Amino acid sequence: MDPEIAGWLQSVLRTIGYQHRDRMYADVESVLRLFQNFLVPKAETYTHDDGRSQLLLSLIGTVPIVYQSATYNIPVAFWLPTSYPSVAPIVFVTPTALMLVKAGKYVDISGRCYHPYLAYWSNRSDSNLVELIGIMQGVFSQEPPVYAKSNTSSQQQQQQQQASPAVGGGYPSPTTSLRPAPPILSYTSRQTTSSTMSSSQQQQQQQQPSDLSQQQQNRYPSPSNFGLSTQQLTPQQAQLYTKLQSALLEFNTASSREMDNLVNVNKQLNDAENRTKAELQSLRDLNSKIQHNIVTLNRCTEQLNSKIEQIRTWPEEPVDEIICGSSVVHNQLFELVAEEIAIEDTIYYLDQALSQDKVELNAYMKHVRNLSREQFMKKALIKKVKAQLGHVE
């Protein structure tokens, strides 16, 4: 890694306050070594779903894929939380102005990427950023997450608009690096690009060596593609031209971020609408059940009132005639049992009076003796009547 980039990265990790700086540095260094021409580190402000903003380290640029024998560069952004690697990175597809996100199995309409590797990140001790990027490359190769809005000419125009960022692509200090950098590469097929070149340009490319610097020349259009030549510009015009390019890039980046925020807000509103509809349907079902219960309760109330009115019309019956035995013997048994219970209660209250010194002992003994004799006779007669009725004790 370049010493300047390494120093900047160490400073950013300390400034933001990452918990595992050594692991972060090692993983980012591995990514930059493997994707040095595709991804660049930036310190940017990330807005979470709950509206909370936080300064995080991100890797912004593109990842190359091969789709139907053609090579494409997918614009992406990898956000690294402060508790990385305990928490999985946040991955977004960041389409340029002439691209649209293609929602699929692993990418939603806002560009947010989902994958089982991210879902089960914390369950694996060997989860790392390099392996994640490789998995994303495989996923994007099977199902590209973006597509162009218009034809090849519009794609070439987008390439021309992205050619100038190479001028200002340095590594600022952590306190001034809140401005996001534009994507390094555009989503264009190398076959399509080569087909638009003249035959003389293609022959010239075939004669050039395939080293890293030549690949960069093929990937970025020259200033002449913008309809201007650097030889035709004065120093003041060239300086103004560079400022205009930077201002345009800042505007495009701000517009893209605002569009992402609007997409997220729209998604939250749609989710809230779905929840509201579900809650409304639940309330409607509950209201239907309540109405049914009210109808049932009114019907039962009417039946009860009718029954009460019917009972009120019944003639009154003497209680003594209702509560009686079915024969003379049963009536005799009923009376004997009542008298025997009355005697027992009388003896009980005599005991209470004696204990409270309300009756003398001689009077108590006399009355208890008489009552006990009478109670014995009642019990003997009850036993005899029960035997006559066939009740066996």
Side-chain angles (χ1 to χ4, degrees):
M1 184 187 298
D2 184 81
E4 182 181 357
I5 301 176
W8 175 86
L9 182 58
Q10 291 283 9
S11 177
V12 168
L13 296 179
R14 288 193 302 269
T15 302
I16 297 178
Y18 278 93
Q19 300 178 7
H20 309 282
R21 289 196 293 269
D22 295 339
R23 171 65 185 275
M24 277 282 299
Y25 182 85
D27 286 3
V28 173
E29 182 185 21
S30 300
V31 171
L32 295 180
R33 185 172 60 255
L34 295 175
F35 299 91
Q36 57 181 343
N37 298 318
F38 297 92
L39 295 173
V40 294
K42 294 290 181 180
E44 299 181 2
T45 300
Y46 178 78
T47 302
H48 296 270
D49 294 338
D50 57 0
R52 178 173 50 89
S53 299
Q54 185 181 18
L55 182 64
L56 296 177
L57 178 66
S58 62
L59 296 175
I60 298 179
T62 62
V63 292
I65 67 168
V66 178
Y67 178 70
Q68 295 182 352
S69 301
T71 301
Y72 298 87
N73 297 306
I74 308 299
V76 293
F78 296 89
W79 298 85
L80 304 177
T82 55
S83 55
Y84 177 92
S86 300
V87 177
I90 304 171
V91 185
F92 275 92
V93 174
T94 57
T96 58
L98 298 181
M99 298 182 191
L100 291 175
V101 174
K102 181 181 179 183
K105 184 178 180 181
Y106 300 107
V107 180
D108 61 15
I109 191 63
S110 66
R112 181 71 178 268
C113 299
Y114 302 91
H115 193 273
Y117 189 83
L118 292 170
Y120 296 98
W121 177 280
S122 59
N123 296 337
R124 295 167 50 92
S125 59
D126 57 345
S127 299
N128 59 83
L129 189 58
V130 175
E131 188 174 4
L132 172 62
I133 296 177
I135 292 175
M136 291 286 91
Q137 284 182 292
V139 170
F140 294 159
S141 297
Q142 298 177 0
E143 186 179 0
V146 292
Y147 62 94
K149 287 184 179 180
S150 58
N151 54 18
T152 306
S153 61
S154 298
Q155 295 175 354
Q156 292 177 348
Q157 182 180 359
Q158 182 184 5
Q159 287 180 338
Q160 295 170 0
Q161 294 176 355
Q162 294 176 347
S164 60
V167 177
Y171 297 89
S173 62
T175 57
T176 60
S177 60
L178 300 180
R179 182 176 301 168
I184 299 177
L185 304 177
S186 60
Y187 181 73
T188 54
S189 171
R190 294 182 181 177
Q191 292 181 349
T192 305
T193 304
S194 61
S195 63
T196 59
M197 296 180 179
S198 62
S199 58
S200 60
Q201 290 174 333
Q202 293 180 358
Q203 292 177 359
Q204 181 179 2
Q205 281 187 354
Q206 293 175 356
Q207 294 175 358
Q208 292 174 346
S210 57
D211 55 359
L212 177 60
S213 61
Q214 191 60 44
Q215 292 178 6
Q216 294 178 347
Q217 293 176 3
N218 292 337
R219 187 159 51 248
Y220 296 97
S222 62
S224 61
N225 291 336
F226 292 91
L228 296 173
S229 174
T230 55
Q231 298 177 356
Q232 300 173 357
L233 298 177
T234 63
Q236 293 79 5
Q237 291 175 335
Q239 184 178 6
L240 178 61
Y241 180 68
T242 302
K243 291 182 178 180
L244 289 175
Q245 286 179 332
S246 301
L248 180 61
L249 290 172
E250 292 178 6
F251 175 77
N252 290 338
T253 303
S255 300
S256 177
R257 174 168 294 181
E258 183 178 0
M259 183 61 67
D260 292 340
N261 293 334
L262 291 176
V263 170
N264 292 331
V265 171
N266 183 65
K267 182 180 178 181
Q268 295 175 1
L269 291 176
N270 290 334
D271 295 340
E273 181 182 5
N274 294 333
R275 291 193 300 268
T276 303
K277 290 181 179 179
E279 187 68 21
L280 180 60
Q281 184 62 36
S282 176
L283 292 176
R284 287 174 179 171
D285 295 339
L286 180 60
N287 181 65
S288 178
K289 293 180 180 179
I290 292 175
Q291 295 298 329
H292 178 267
N293 292 337
I294 291 175
V295 172
T296 303
L297 181 60
N298 291 335
R299 184 173 62 252
C300 294
T301 303
E302 292 177 357
Q303 294 176 357
L304 182 60
N305 292 333
S306 176
K307 192 59 115 176
I308 291 173
E309 292 297 330
Q310 182 181 359
I311 293 174
R312 286 177 179 176
T313 59
W314 292 354
E316 295 184 0
E317 296 290 341
V319 178
D320 295 337
E321 295 180 2
I322 296 175
I323 305 176
C324 62
S326 57
S327 64
V328 177
V329 179
H330 284 90
N331 288 333
Q332 184 183 6
L333 178 62
F334 180 80
E335 293 176 358
L336 290 172
V337 172
E339 292 174 358
E340 189 270 332
I341 294 175
I343 294 172
E344 185 175 355
D345 291 342
T346 304
I347 296 174
Y348 170 77
Y349 283 108
L350 285 173
D351 290 337
Q352 294 294 324
L354 179 64
S355 62
Q356 296 176 6
D357 295 332
K358 292 183 180 180
V359 63
E360 295 181 356
L361 180 60
N362 294 332
Y364 168 78
M365 294 298 295
K366 179 180 178 181
H367 287 290
V368 169
R369 186 164 51 249
N370 293 333
L371 290 174
S372 299
R373 184 183 303 111
E374 186 178 358
Q375 184 182 24
F376 175 78
M377 296 300 296
K378 299 291 184 182
K379 287 185 177 181
L381 188 56
I382 290 172
K383 186 175 182 182
K384 183 178 180 180
V385 173
K386 286 184 177 180
Q388 183 179 357
L389 293 175
H391 295 287
V392 180
E393 293 184 358

